[in-house]
Amino acid sequence: MPNHPVREPDFDPYDTPPDPPIHYAEQALLGALLLEPHRREAIGPLGPEHFARPLHGAVFAAAATLTPPDPAVHIREPVWLASILSHAGPMTPALTPSYLHTLIACAGMPEHVAEYAGMIRADHARRSVRVHAELLIQAACDPTLPDPVGVALARADALTALIDDLGSRVSPHPGSLPRTPSPRSPSRDTGEEATSEEQILLSTATARPGCLPTMRWLQAEDFAVPLHGQLFRCLTSLAHRGAPVDQVTVLWETQHQGILTEAINARDVLEMLATPAGSAHHWGEQVLRRSLLHSAHTTGLRIQAYADDRTNTPHQLITGTRRALAELTAVRVRWHRATSPTPATPPRPRAPATTRAGPRTPSTAPATARASR
């Protein structure tokens, strides 16, 4: 039978996706303000920047800036619409008289403007969180930055400040955890440089195990290669027990930990531990640095997923973001412990010198005080 090609469906350039609910909430609020200008006193804190569509923000800015007309005049003449059009029109050429009438038709219930304003603020909060999450992801993935860790932590601080500000305006309620599935974790950097530095760290720590007690800020989960993390766990286990540490004792520990397989044999482990170089502390910092950036990337993706899920309420978004940032903070604390200089232990103050008491000598009473027999 002849093979007939499957015809692709025609693409209609005018087939635009439907508007999200926030579009209609903005139209309802603006329409209510066009019908009843005095309703703007009930909308609470709201600014043009809260609107998703710049055209709506320009109309709101005009409605919030201009003085409403007298109610009697407003009923008879469209002076209010003309004032808003003349004020916002030069900055927004897309604003037309017909669209103002469209807004009036979508006014809904003017007495519900406070609820509409709350919807607009909530959606603006969601978009703001998403923008900060994108900035965090960019900082964690940009190798051209001179200090990617510093930039990523600054982005995390900005996101934390935003969440704290939003949390002060949203009252908590039960059942506030996001229902959004966590996105797939990004792949770790297992390039030649990262792999080589992890192996050098293992070799150096094996040759000079005295550094292990001072490197408690590094964990097996920080290694990009899982096998390297397992070997580091063997090293720390030996050091914690006070057992001797060398290539053979580490190899023996790998046998007890179930690390040796057909793919990884004893000779492979000994080769990984045979190239010490430099300072284990330095290589450990490099491993932790990559782990911190990976954690920042993962955190940004999770928060972005929460913000993209429109089913999450503002409080669910705030709670999920805080939990994601807490995981990044745990790695951040270990990073500061690794990179901060250890404060010198102040010398213990010496106790002031005291005069040693000598043997007591009996005092001789004066001759005049002696009892006479």
Side-chain angles (χ1 to χ4, degrees), residues 114-137:
E115 189 68 19
Y116 303 152
M119 299 175 188
I120 296 172
R121 285 191 291 267
D123 194 73
H124 175 261
R126 182 187 62 81
R127 298 194 310 272
S128 299
V129 170
R130 193 188 194 286
V131 169
H132 280 73
E134 290 177 348
L135 293 175
L136 178 59
I137 295 172

Side-chain angles (χ1 to χ4, degrees), residues 7-67:
R7 183 175 181 179
E8 296 290 338
D10 293 334
F11 174 73
D12 186 0
Y14 298 100
D15 187 14
T16 58
D19 293 312
I22 188 59
H23 174 79
Y24 301 99
E26 293 180 357
Q27 285 187 328
L29 182 136
L30 295 175
L33 293 181
L34 294 177
L35 277 177
E36 301 179 9
H38 67 279
R39 296 287 183 182
R40 70 181 186 181
E41 303 298 330
I43 62 177
L46 191 69
E49 68 279 0
H50 292 106
F51 288 78
R53 190 174 178 186
L55 176 63
H56 292 168
V59 175
F60 178 80
T65 304
L66 298 174
T67 302

Side-chain angles (χ1 to χ4, degrees), residues 193-230:
E193 182 179 1
T195 303
S196 175
E197 289 179 351
E198 290 183 357
Q199 290 184 359
I200 295 176
L201 166 62
L202 295 173
S203 300
T204 307
T206 302
R208 293 183 281 275
C211 64
L212 291 173
T214 65
M215 296 178 60
R216 299 184 185 274
W217 37 263
L218 190 64
Q219 298 180 359
E221 293 75 16
D222 294 324
F223 288 77
V225 180
L227 174 61
H228 296 166
Q230 293 173 332

